[in-house]
Amino acid sequence: MKIADAKVIVCRPGRNFVTLKLTTDDGITGVGDATLNGRELAVATYLREHVAPLLIGRDAARIEDTWQYLFQGAYWRRGPVTMTAIAAVDTALWDIKGKVAGLPVYQLLGGRSRDDVTVYGHANGETVDEVLTQVAGYVERGYRAVRVQCGIPGLEKTYGVSADKLFYEPADAPRPTETRWSTRRYLTAIPPVFARVRDQFGPHLALLHDVHHRLTPIEAGRVGASLEPYGLYWLEDPVPADLQEGFRIIRQHTTTPIAVGEVFNSIWDCHQLIREQLIDYIRATVVHAGGITHLRRILDLAALHHVRSGSHGATDLSPVGMAAALQLDVSIPNFGIQEYMPHTEETDQVFPHGYRFADGALHPSDEPGLGVDIDEAAAARYPYAPAYLPVNRLEDGTVHPW
Ligand code: EZ4
Ligand code: CO
């Protein structure tokens, strides 16, 4: 069974997505998500020009060998563009293997370790009152875990706070939007938000919060300590993780659990964080961290060090990426939680999928393979348009230095 065709499909059903579709010589297809928010065409070109020609004629059954061939063979290792491209190939090959076996991919990964995949929703508002209303909405819809983001008085726009309450779309403009940040204002504003949320919703609702890489380790230690009374499920991306040993400082100052890794693209981005037990949840994804094959490797290392999964799952991960994530989520021993933000109706039409949300959890499809596809005719109706993530500046205008 050889790979006969490798097609890269770029579309924008509400937002941009890049999808790889592989077809074997006996007509079996597999799909992989290759979306890298704000840098989509770099991955599309990498796949079209440098990967697709190498795939034609290769044995579609050799997933590990193809992964090593693309990773080691390029000579230029790692990096978000390369690893997203490899991820798409890997994911599509797992889809094909599942279809050949007549089994959902999670069966090939060892079968279910749990019945469903607990997810968290996104409550956000400019004011605390607005946040409380949003949290109540998630609780009513059955969510057991909610991420809470609130506007900071004195700052015009806060990351993760949007007018659209169903989801937020940070890649919002053809040139990056510029925002301003004040750590001082943030440190003062955030503990009272969680005090009020806990007060209203009691001790059992899991609460999460994303700092979006805005702090230094010592500031993160202080935020973590100030939020300890509210028992957060996790504090996400308190600082950028390029300096992995910096997380030691956070650990010295707080018992608030730490999640990091939505921008990681390989095990080399997080091996120290994991081995030294400096984090509690790893947010790496199938789509950006080298596919099912490589993320499983990261998650196995994590399992040895008491680190659980908490994969990124914002709207820039397509339903193909989500379907792949759920295969690992449901099968690994050290699952923590999965981020989930519903896609637009147009996106769901372009990517018909079998997974569904109910009772605060996603339920993976039982169809063979990943249980997701791309409707190419529908995709063609939504052409690509550039959209960039915002650039963040300090109050004096300096681009935020970390
Ligand atoms: O910035 O998905 O936790 N989620 C996030 C997201 C990410 C975007 C990047 O593409 O931080 O908003
Ligand atoms: Co985040």
Side-chain angles (χ1 to χ4, degrees):
M1 192 185 52
K2 293 194 180 339
I3 300 171
D5 188 47
K7 191 169 183 182
V8 180
I9 303 150
V10 182
C11 63
R12 185 184 175 73
R15 70 158 352 279
N16 291 318
F17 294 111
V18 180
T19 310
L20 176 70
K21 180 173 177 178
L22 299 182
T23 308
T24 66
D25 51 9
D26 46 6
I28 299 174
T29 61
V31 286
D33 184 8
T35 309
L36 185 63
N37 204 2
R39 296 293 185 272
E40 295 86 358
L41 299 187
V43 184
T45 306
Y46 188 106
L47 280 168
R48 275 190 190 123
E49 301 297 326
H50 300 296
V51 174
L54 308 183
L55 293 177
I56 308 306
R58 287 185 66 83
D59 183 350
R62 298 193 180 197
I63 299 178
E64 181 70 39
D65 183 66
T66 300
W67 195 95
Q68 299 295 342
Y69 177 80
L70 294 174
F71 182 81
Q72 319 283 0
Y75 187 69
W76 311 105
R77 298 151 81 99
R78 303 162 58 185
V81 175
T82 297
M83 296 305 282
T84 303
I86 294 176
V89 175
D90 182 81
T91 308
L93 291 178
W94 276 103
D95 193 17
I96 289 170
K97 192 172 285 296
K99 288 179 182 175
V100 170
L103 293 169
V105 169
Y106 69 76
Q107 293 291 10
L108 306 178
L109 299 173
R112 283 176 189 265
S113 285
R114 58 198 55 76
D115 294 334
D116 55 24
V117 173
T118 302
V119 298
Y120 66 89
H122 292 75
N124 68 79
E126 277 303 334
T127 64
V128 187
D129 286 335
E130 228 175 274
V131 168
L132 294 172
T133 308
Q134 292 302 317
V135 176
Y138 280 96
V139 171
E140 270 161 35
R141 293 198 288 284
Y143 284 81
R144 289 165 255 153
V146 184
R147 190 185 92 164
V148 172
Q149 306 297 127
C150 189
I152 307 299
L155 296 185
E156 204 180 310
K157 198 172 182 314
T158 311
Y159 194 93
V161 177
S162 76
D164 194 322
K165 292 304 172 204
L166 196 56
F167 52 82
Y168 71 93
E169 188 52 79
D172 59 2
R175 292 179 77 88
T177 305
E178 301 212 355
T179 56
R180 295 284 165 123
W181 173 256
S182 160
T183 294
R184 195 172 40 83
R185 289 180 190 277
Y186 171 78
L187 291 178
T188 314
I190 208 68
V193 175
F194 280 90
R196 286 194 54 198
V197 174
R198 261 298 168 238
D199 190 46
Q200 183 160 330
F201 296 95
H204 299 307
L205 180 63
L207 298 177
L208 300 80
H209 179 62
D210 191 351
V211 187
H212 219 70
H213 312 113
R214 300 287 198 254
L215 303 176
T216 63
I218 199 70
E219 291 162 352
R222 179 168 156 202
V223 172
S226 72
L227 295 177
E228 277 170 27
Y230 316 115
L232 261 58
Y233 185 93
W234 80 34
L235 184 69
E236 173 181 337
D237 289 342
V239 303
D242 306 298
L243 186 71
Q244 295 184 46
E245 58 266 42
F247 281 66
R248 291 178 191 146
I249 297 172
I250 305 176
R251 279 296 204 223
Q252 284 159 12
H253 293 281
T254 182
T255 58
T256 294
I258 303 297
V260 72
E262 64 185 46
V263 304
F264 292 172
N265 56 70
S266 82
I267 201 164
W268 306 108
D269 294 325
C270 51
H271 68 108
Q272 187 182 2
L273 289 172
I274 292 171
R275 283 187 293 103
E276 290 190 32
Q277 298 177 250
L278 299 177
I279 58 172
D280 301 280
Y281 297 92
I282 178 76
R283 284 185 44 74
T285 59
V286 168
V287 44
H288 298 133
I292 289 172
T293 297
H294 193 67
L295 184 58
R296 187 173 56 168
R297 203 147 280 157
I298 295 173
L299 294 172
D300 277 343
L301 179 70
L304 298 180
H305 298 86
H306 301 187
V307 176
R308 287 187 231 185
S309 74
S311 282
H312 186 207
T315 40
D316 50 297
L317 289 87
S318 83
V320 176
M322 181 55 80
L326 294 175
Q327 307 293 334
L328 276 170
D329 290 339
V330 83
S331 59
I332 57 172
N334 54 328
F335 171 74
I337 202 162
Q338 169 69 52
E339 181 177 13
Y340 172 55
M341 212 185 278
H343 285 110
T344 61
E345 221 170 276
E346 299 97 296
T347 296
D348 284 343
Q349 278 162 9
V350 169
F351 299 99
H353 54 81
Y355 66 80
R356 64 194 169 81
F357 173 85
D359 305 321
L362 281 172
H363 299 256
S365 165
D366 283 322
E367 292 159 61
L370 298 174
V372 66
D373 209 344
I374 182 164
D375 177 338
E376 291 185 59
R381 289 200 291 274
Y382 302 102
Y384 166 84
Y388 289 106
L389 288 163
V391 167
N392 187 37
R393 293 182 186 275
L394 303 179
E395 283 171 299
D396 70 358
T398 312
V399 172
H400 200 300
W402 42 77

